[in-house]
Amino acid sequence: MVQNHHCEDHETVGENKEKRPKFFINDHVDILIEILKRLDGRSLCVAASVCRLWCTIARNDSLWENLCFRHVSPPPSSVRSVVLALGGYKRLYTGCVRPVRSRLGRMRKASWSRDEVQLSLSLFCVDYYERLGGSNSSGRLVGESSPSSLMFLCKPVNV
Amino acid sequence: MLRYDSTSSSAGSSSGSLSSSSSSSKPPQQDIDGLLAGAGYKVRSSELRQVAQRLERLETAMGNSPADFSQLASDAILYNPSDLACWVDSLLTEFAEPPPTCSSDFIVDPVNNQTVVNSAWTTAEPHTPQVHQNITYDEQQSLDNQLTVVTAMEEDSGIRLVHMLMTCAECVQSGDLSLATSLIGDMQGLLTHVNTVCGIGKVAGHFIDALSRRIFQGMGGGSVNGGSAFENEILHHHFYEACPYLKFAHFTANQAILEAFDGHDCVHVVDFNLMHGLQWPALIQALALRPGGPPLLRLTGIGPPSPDGRDSLREIGLRLAELARSVNVRFAFRGVAASRLEDVKPWMLQVNPKEAVAVNSIMQLHRLLGSEQTRNSPIDTVLSWIRGLNPKIMTVVEQEANHNQPGFLDRFTEALYYYSTMFDSLEACRVQPEKALAEIYIQREIGNVVSCEGSARVERHEPLAKWRRRLSGAGFRALHLGSNAFKQASMLLTLFSAEGYSVEENEGCLSLGWHSRPLIAASAWQAVPAWDNHMSSS
């Protein structure tokens, strides 16, 4: 169990073995990131409510990138720029990857195929496009309620 | 305690074993329902409804207390199993089931029951609407009971509606408009006793409207095909959201186009009906991520001119351009405003001879068909200039229905079947208000198919087999949609999590249907190289 202490206790980073070791994870952000990288989506969101530091780290998109693609053989590097342009990995995960995976029954399975990745990305792109329409609309009906083509995937849980 | 009204409630005197000897006083033989008699049960036709109700109550009771029932089932002695009504009653009395608290005139009192059943059988009495109002929603089992009983009655009315629709269509075809008019009146009366929220009642309502429009307003069909371009776009968008047909069309076409564009650096897509351009973001994204980098993409979108100075085509183009810019795809858009597809001339598209061209037609080609097979009909003209562009691929998605037959009755029958299936599939959609607007979209199609003629009738759907013949005859050969398209379509359907949709592969074409009735078919074509000096063969 990780202790979350508020008192200031300076400790040197590294292998400093005292008789009563006080190890505050918040002082070792790199380790913290490594740990958070391995969490699933829900745990990551819970982690984001622990403290300000964890919240900042959990909002980092690279953690979510890891979550999206950890079970896929490494996608081409161009994927990142596309995903970031379309709204970021956190949005991709919560809006597309998680519902797609759970609908396809893949939450427990270790890996998922390129086709599923592609489909998620395509749906994500359509969603981005519709959001564009929402912001650019000039009183069109579409802009108002902004029907999202991902609505059929969504359950009203905002991660 | 319920008593089976006319015959005696107690059965014969044999004990222990299940005997099939008849009980004391048998009802007259000629009244026995024929179908059930074939299965070995003797029930009077006039009492079928009561028996059905009681069976349903028995089923509810079984569900509620399965432990009791299993004991009862082993203890029960059924003296006359073929007298279905009788032993259902006896089982029910064993349960001492309290009557459901709603709409008592419908189930409990056997005296009233008789009257209700009789009158409902012959003339449609307005009891059904009452049931909906009186239901106490906290009693879920009684609610289910009510609804199943109501459904039994509605099925009957639904079947009658269908028969009347067919008769009316026949009258319209033969020109007997007075009879048709009276039938319309009857059907509208019958509609009040059927649930028009879902099922056959809803579809029938639309068809009745379309028929009456045809009879009373003549073949112009009023303003069915009207509705501004803006409205059409919105309805189209909601149809896109509510059910998977358009998504299937877009994704399948995109997959085929993506594969056809493999290796080309300058590509040009011609979209015969741009609408909101919902098909293209996915293609742009896929091109952005293709190995080797994205090509230069040009998109030419054809659409109706917008009336009030808004340039909707340009707006969509700007949106797509913004998306393309975000993902680093070089993109150029051109809009061609034309109210009819046959008004488009190939020079408007400004196709560059060095680029790979894809022509995309989602439910547009059927609008070019006329009922007469003349030499230079619009479809031939358009197909020939498409061929002149020498596209790498032409993706064609059409409704899988035969709504272009010359005979009205055949067309009507086919449309009734097709759109009932489509409405059924729409039930699976839970998202409002998309569903309501999607229904209006479909309703407009129905109106056009049924109540319009001549040039006003643009929804001239033809099945895939006919399109194959037509396109082959116009100098195209079919390209097989690969397994990737099939996999993607199947995955898309799984995401919709409605159990009824199915994708089928048919000689390289994919079709999406509801419960094995295909409703929309996607195919891909390539121009057969013409041995002409001016055309480059590929």
Side-chain angles (χ1 to χ4, degrees):
Chain A
M1 287 294 284
V2 172
Q3 283 194 62
N4 202 7
H5 244 274
H6 285 297
C7 70
E8 303 291 308
D9 202 323
H10 298 287
E11 189 178 59
T12 53
V13 179
E15 311 87 6
N16 198 351
K17 292 193 169 94
E18 295 180 51
K19 281 231 168 76
R20 283 174 304 161
K22 288 180 189 162
F23 180 82
F24 302 117
I25 187 66
N26 282 5
D27 293 332
H28 302 268
V29 175
D30 49 348
I31 301 181
L32 181 56
I33 291 178
E34 284 299 315
I35 296 173
L36 291 179
K37 255 192 203 169
R38 285 157 171 76
L39 290 179
D40 62 296
R42 196 174 178 280
S43 309
L44 196 50
C45 293
V46 170
S49 355
V50 169
C51 66
R52 266 199 290 260
L53 175 66
W54 286 40
C55 185
T56 315
I57 295 177
R59 261 202 292 243
N60 192 328
D61 221 31
S62 60
L63 282 181
W64 296 92
E65 174 180 2
N66 212 299
L67 193 53
C68 288
F69 291 124
R70 94 171 42 140
H71 300 302
V72 185
S73 53
S77 50
S78 45
V79 171
R80 178 175 303 149
S81 57
V82 169
V83 174
L84 290 179
L86 297 179
Y89 279 99
K90 183 170 181 189
R91 198 177 191 111
L92 172 64
Y93 183 78
T94 56
C96 297
V97 172
R98 195 171 59 97
V100 167
R101 293 194 79 193
S102 67
R103 288 285 175 94
L104 294 180
R106 295 278 192 269
M107 286 306 249
R108 306 294 158 91
K109 249 184 152 185
S111 63
W112 58 320
S113 64
R114 293 219 78 77
D115 298 322
E116 291 158 1
V117 176
Q118 258 303 9
L119 187 62
S120 300
L121 287 173
S122 300
L123 291 172
F124 189 52
C125 198
V126 181
D127 175 60
Y128 170 77
Y129 178 70
E130 286 182 321
R131 279 182 276 130
L132 267 186
S135 57
N136 287 351
S137 75
S138 43
R140 288 160 64 121
L141 182 63
V142 172
E144 246 75 65
S145 53
S146 194
S148 164
S149 68
L150 295 183
M151 286 253 281
F152 71 99
L153 286 180
C154 285
K155 295 174 190 166
V157 171
N158 195 14
V159 182
Chain B
M1 179 161 154
L2 289 176
R3 285 178 55 243
Y4 185 55
D5 30 27
S6 46
T7 59
S8 65
S9 55
S10 62
S13 53
S14 54
S15 59
S17 57
L18 300 172
S19 78
S20 56
S21 62
S22 53
S23 63
S24 38
S25 55
K26 272 312 253 178
Q29 287 294 331
Q30 62 268 27
D31 209 8
I32 299 291
D33 179 82
L35 290 173
L36 281 175
Y41 291 107
K42 298 190 173 62
V43 184
R44 285 205 305 181
S45 308
S46 48
E47 271 122 18
L48 275 178
R49 196 132 307 225
Q50 286 171 301
V51 173
Q53 288 166 13
R54 287 169 199 170
L55 278 170
E56 275 154 0
R57 288 191 50 214
L58 184 61
E59 188 185 12
T60 316
M62 279 163 58
N64 289 347
S65 48
D68 290 355
F69 186 76
S70 56
Q71 191 196 2
L72 179 65
S74 51
D75 287 359
I77 298 167
L78 296 178
Y79 292 112
N80 186 11
S82 69
D83 190 355
L84 189 62
C86 199
W87 61 256
V88 172
D89 279 352
S90 59
L91 280 177
L92 274 175
T93 55
E94 293 277 356
F95 267 95
E97 164 86 354
T101 58
C102 37
S103 202
S104 52
D105 53 335
F106 212 68
I107 292 204
V108 175
D109 197 337
V111 176
N112 279 353
N113 216 352
Q114 187 68 28
T115 354
V116 168
V117 169
N118 276 340
S119 54
W121 192 261
T122 49
T123 66
E125 277 242 278
H127 276 281
T128 315
Q130 265 185 23
V131 171
H132 286 299
Q133 286 158 26
N134 292 347
I135 285 178
T136 55
Y137 281 90
D138 46 11
E139 288 237 38
Q140 189 54 38
Q141 43 264 43
S142 46
L143 173 66
D144 288 347
N145 213 357
Q146 284 294 324
L147 288 181
T148 48
V149 172
V150 165
T151 316
M153 275 199 51
E154 277 171 19
E155 266 176 29
D156 178 51
S157 303
I159 296 172
R160 287 176 66 203
L161 261 180
V162 173
H163 285 317
M164 287 173 79
L165 275 170
M166 307 296 293
T167 316
C168 187
E170 216 174 317
C171 294
V172 170
Q173 173 166 280
S174 58
D176 188 355
L177 292 184
S178 54
L179 180 55
T181 314
S182 70
L183 278 170
I184 298 267
D186 292 342
M187 286 194 285
Q188 276 165 347
L190 194 53
L191 261 188
T192 61
H193 306 122
V194 175
N195 183 5
T196 51
V197 172
C198 63
I200 187 68
K202 173 175 264 184
V203 187
H206 296 321
F207 275 88
I208 293 171
D209 285 341
L211 271 175
S212 58
R213 209 176 295 126
R214 187 187 179 98
I215 294 170
F216 299 125
Q217 290 182 18
M219 306 303 180
S223 59
V224 169
N225 196 31
S228 67
F230 182 59
E231 275 174 35
N232 286 343
E233 279 178 16
I234 292 188
L235 293 178
H236 187 262
H237 194 157
H238 285 85
F239 182 63
Y240 176 87
E241 305 295 355
C243 44
Y245 302 110
L246 286 182
K247 286 195 174 75
F248 162 78
H250 291 174
F251 275 71
T252 309
N254 282 344
Q255 185 67 30
I257 294 175
L258 189 66
E259 288 170 8
F261 279 169
D262 196 21
H264 289 86
D265 288 325
C266 282
V267 300
H268 186 172
V269 176
V270 178
D271 188 1
F272 277 0
N273 189 19
L274 188 63
M275 286 285 172
H276 285 161
L278 286 167
Q279 179 172 355
W280 308 117
L283 183 68
I284 293 174
Q285 173 261 311
L287 287 174
L289 289 178
R290 76 169 187 179
L296 164 66
L297 171 66
R298 287 180 57 206
L299 174 65
T300 301
I302 299 174
S306 20
D308 48 355
R310 267 180 56 244
D311 192 350
S312 59
L313 287 174
R314 190 166 167 272
E315 283 174 20
I316 302 294
L318 285 174
R319 249 167 90 182
L320 287 169
E322 189 176 330
L323 178 122
R325 197 181 43 81
S326 311
V327 298
N328 278 328
V329 174
R330 292 167 295 154
F331 180 79
F333 176 82
R334 187 177 168 75
V336 174
S339 41
R340 295 178 315 164
L341 193 51
E342 55 252 44
D343 296 334
V344 175
K345 303 283 178 283
W347 58 262
M348 299 177 187
L349 307 175
Q350 295 195 343
V351 169
N352 191 323
K354 290 204 185 65
E355 54 193 11
V357 177
V359 175
N360 181 71
S361 158
I362 309 279
M363 307 199 294
Q364 296 305 302
L365 287 185
H366 65 254
R367 297 169 165 257
L368 299 168
L369 299 174
S371 45
E372 327 83 45
Q373 311 292 323
T374 58
R375 189 88 181 108
N376 276 334
S377 52
I379 181 73
D380 296 321
T381 320
V382 172
L383 285 178
S384 76
W385 66 246
I386 293 177
R387 186 149 175 258
L389 294 177
N390 199 15
K392 212 71 179 69
I393 188 168
M394 174 169 71
T395 47
V396 174
V397 180
E398 286 287 326
Q399 288 94 333
E400 182 65 10
N402 199 358
H403 295 154
N404 199 20
Q405 299 160 77
F408 177 72
L409 182 59
D410 295 329
R411 204 163 78 223
F412 185 85
T413 317
E414 171 85 15
L416 188 57
Y417 182 34
Y418 179 83
Y419 287 106
S420 310
T421 316
M422 187 169 267
F423 266 95
D424 279 348
S425 74
L426 207 55
E427 289 305 312
C429 166
R430 292 169 299 244
V431 190
Q432 292 284 2
E434 278 76 17
K435 188 165 151 189
L437 291 173
E439 286 173 3
I440 297 179
Y441 177 88
I442 302 175
Q443 188 184 345
R444 287 204 178 169
E445 267 188 30
I446 295 176
N448 194 271
V449 173
V450 171
S451 66
C452 294
E453 283 301 332
S455 58
R457 177 154 65 94
V458 291
E459 300 292 341
R460 295 180 181 263
H461 310 147
E462 285 192 346
L464 182 60
K466 270 196 178 176
W467 282 110
R468 271 201 245 257
R469 281 199 297 275
R470 198 183 281 279
L471 288 168
S472 309
F476 291 89
R477 68 155 183 255
L479 289 175
H480 278 224
L481 296 168
S483 57
N484 282 337
F486 184 86
K487 268 193 287 186
Q488 185 179 240
S490 311
M491 256 195 297
L492 199 60
L493 286 191
T494 319
L495 293 180
F496 263 88
S497 69
E499 289 300 313
Y501 292 108
S502 60
V503 184
E504 281 170 17
E505 193 263 348
N506 176 2
E507 289 178 30
C509 303
L510 289 185
S511 64
L512 172 61
W514 176 258
H515 283 133
S516 78
R517 157 81 210 227
L519 293 176
I520 187 171
S523 54
W525 302 84
Q526 195 177 41
V528 169
W531 301 109
D532 193 328
N533 287 340
H534 300 295
M535 292 193 209
S536 57
S537 56
S538 57

